[in-house]
Amino acid sequence: MPAQTLDEPIRRFREFLGPGSVITDPVRLRTYECDGLTHHRAVPAVVVLPESAEQVAAVVRVCDEHGVPFVARGAGTGLSGGALPRTDGVLIVTSRMRRILSVDLANRRAVVEPGVTNLAITEAVRDQGYYYAPDPSSQQVCSIGGNVAENSGGAHCLKHGFTVNHVLALEIVTPQGEIVELSAADPGYDLLGAFIGSEGTLGIATKVTVRLTRAPRNVTTLLAAFDGVERGGQAVSAIIGGGILPSAIEMMDALAIEAAEAAVACSYPEGAGAVLIVELDGPVEEVAHELGEVTRICRESGAFALRTAADPAERAAVWKGRKSAFAAVGRISPAYIVQDGVVPRTALPEVLASIDRLSREHGIRVANVFHAGDGNLHPLVLFDDREPGAGERAELVSGRILDLCVEYGGSITGEHGVGVDKSRYMTKMFSDDDLDTMQLVRCAFDPRGLSNPGKVFPTPRLCGEVPGVRRGVHPLVESGRAEQF
Ligand SMILES: Cc1cc2nc3c(=O)[nH]c(=O)nc-3n(C[C@H](O)[C@H](O)[C@H](O)COP(=O)(O)OP(=O)(O)OC[C@H]3O[C@@H](n4cnc5c(N)ncnc54)[C@H](O)[C@@H]3O)c2cc1C
């Protein structure tokens, strides 16, 4: 769509949002040209900063009226280019929708606006002994709206579940600009479940009702050092196979440890080729018993050093290295790709060995830091962007890692979403029929394809192009068979 056709929508936005909430200045627009995945960039035609659901709805209605695509953006920490703007569209940023609207401890729930950060929810209820369980490493800055769109996870989702397990209801603005509620208590189809993880393609979340969880009284954190990832991987399988469900099992390999040490001096055991962080929570006796078992399993799997955090300060020190790892890698490499894939836990040792082979074959270093407990790999593929061809080789290795995930029966994404970056890999997991079926869901919410178009699906199509879907009269109605339903 040529830029001038946005003149009228922009005029309308200024009218009901006020001029201070509509950005068209090219320099300011550049702030929004990418999310955490910086190699996809596009400057939006206009950015709007609504302060309420009604304002979001009004913006979306104008978009619908004029056939203008729109993209929601929270904090822009996404790692799959989900919030990548459209040069011919509107970027709807939720950063001014940051109110915690209510906290209801008796019913263990809070209602918040979509721009509230993940950690702010916990901070609001921590003193009362509660927290919001899903804990992406980006939790200090990422928004709950973004978490909903990505069905975000985190280190403790192994035991406590992902965003989808902690969102009880949503208020959304549909792609037609209507404000509707979706609730876990609704009978019929699970539309709440369909919306969570839909990456902004089914509308915009404007209120989120989250479950609040009682903070565990007893938490024990164990750091185990191995000579390499293979033995660490064996320990992970043996722990879960032994019937123990830690709240977190995270693994870092030698390169990730090197980066974390350089950045935050986390003092992991010297000579470690891999470390496992195993966290246990629950009643005192249960935690003590499980700690004994995990210690035994780690030793039997070849751990040469084991350290249990004695107090919250030591626990924080153990986690510091892990939580800083993504950013820390920037210290040992000028550029890197953060990959996200899943493999069955039992395949971890083999897949990690294959990643190592790929890395050596292509002369590209790969640091592994990941949620080992649920087989969610986060290989960090390092390269020097000044070296000709290095970026292409890194891309190749990164793609081959996803091939491995699929070959082993896993997934091309664990928690970072498909976005724009991985839409081309969707065909590795899904047939054309599968994708057409998914597109039917999309079309039911957004028949005009205006809500975050170009994301998730490899071959964006209009709803009329999906087999079996026609605009206007449904084929069953046309043929007279609809009465049978
Ligand atoms: C250092 C770092 C560590 C990370 N660690 C983790 C981790 O441990 N686990 C994990 O899961 N992710 C992690 N991430 C990825 C990222 O933080 C999450 O995907 C997060 O949920 C994105 O939130 P956001 O507010 O930044 O969303 P954005 O990046 O702004 O948007 C992400 C997607 O959500 C859509 N969206 C945003 N707001 C709304 C809304 N209100 N309604 C509908 N759609 C919306 C956007 O259109 C886009 O498709 C990490 C990222 C970084 C940079």
Side-chain angles (χ1 to χ4, degrees), residues 281-323:
D281 66 24
V284 181
E285 298 76 18
E286 186 182 304
V287 169
H289 169 72
E290 289 183 341
L291 179 64
E293 283 300 286
V294 170
T295 305
R296 178 185 62 74
I297 291 169
C298 286
R299 280 218 178 90
E300 284 174 9
S301 304
F304 67 82
L306 287 153
R307 189 195 299 163
T308 307
D311 53 40
E314 275 190 27
R315 183 181 164 216
V318 168
W319 277 108
K320 199 169 167 191
R322 165 61 185 93
K323 296 252 173 185

Side-chain angles (χ1 to χ4, degrees), residues 72-79 82-83 94 114 136-138 142-143 145-147 149-150 152-153 199-200 203-205 326 371 415-416 452:
R73 177 180 166 113
T77 66
L79 291 171
T94 61
S137 305
S138 52
C142 67
S143 75
N147 291 182
E150 300 288 0
S152 296
E199 303 192 24
I204 301 182
F326 278 17
H371 309 309
E415 56 184 14
H416 294 171
N452 212 4

Side-chain angles (χ1 to χ4, degrees), residues 349-477:
E350 272 179 58
V351 173
L352 290 168
S354 301
I355 293 177
D356 186 45
R357 267 197 302 280
L358 273 174
S359 153
R360 279 187 275 111
E361 246 168 62
H362 296 277
I364 289 287
R365 294 186 301 164
V366 179
N368 287 291
V369 42
F370 57 100
H371 309 309
D374 36 30
N376 185 186
L377 300 171
H378 287 318
L380 305 169
V381 183
L382 318 187
F383 64 101
D384 186 342
D385 47 357
R386 295 159 302 189
E387 187 192 318
E392 286 74 13
R393 277 185 290 130
E395 269 293 335
L396 183 82
V397 169
S398 183
R400 284 290 298 128
I401 291 173
L402 291 186
D403 288 341
L404 279 173
C405 292
V406 175
E407 275 162 35
Y408 277 85
S411 169
I412 59 166
T413 171
E415 56 184 14
H416 294 171
V418 178
V420 74
D421 196 48
K422 288 197 174 166
S423 56
R424 67 205 144 120
Y425 295 117
M426 287 288 269
T427 50
K428 291 183 192 270
M429 279 191 77
F430 300 108
S431 68
D432 285 352
D433 282 351
D434 294 336
L435 291 167
D436 283 345
T437 306
M438 288 184 208
Q439 187 87 3
L440 294 180
V441 178
R442 165 66 188 279
C443 292
F445 278 79
D446 182 20
R448 303 186 71 192
L450 293 179
S451 191
N452 212 4
K455 312 292 165 63
V456 183
F457 294 101
T459 44
R461 300 201 254 179
L462 295 172
C463 287
E465 295 169 331
V466 179
V469 179
R470 287 196 244 162
R471 298 253 212 100
V473 185
H474 190 280
L476 290 178
V477 175

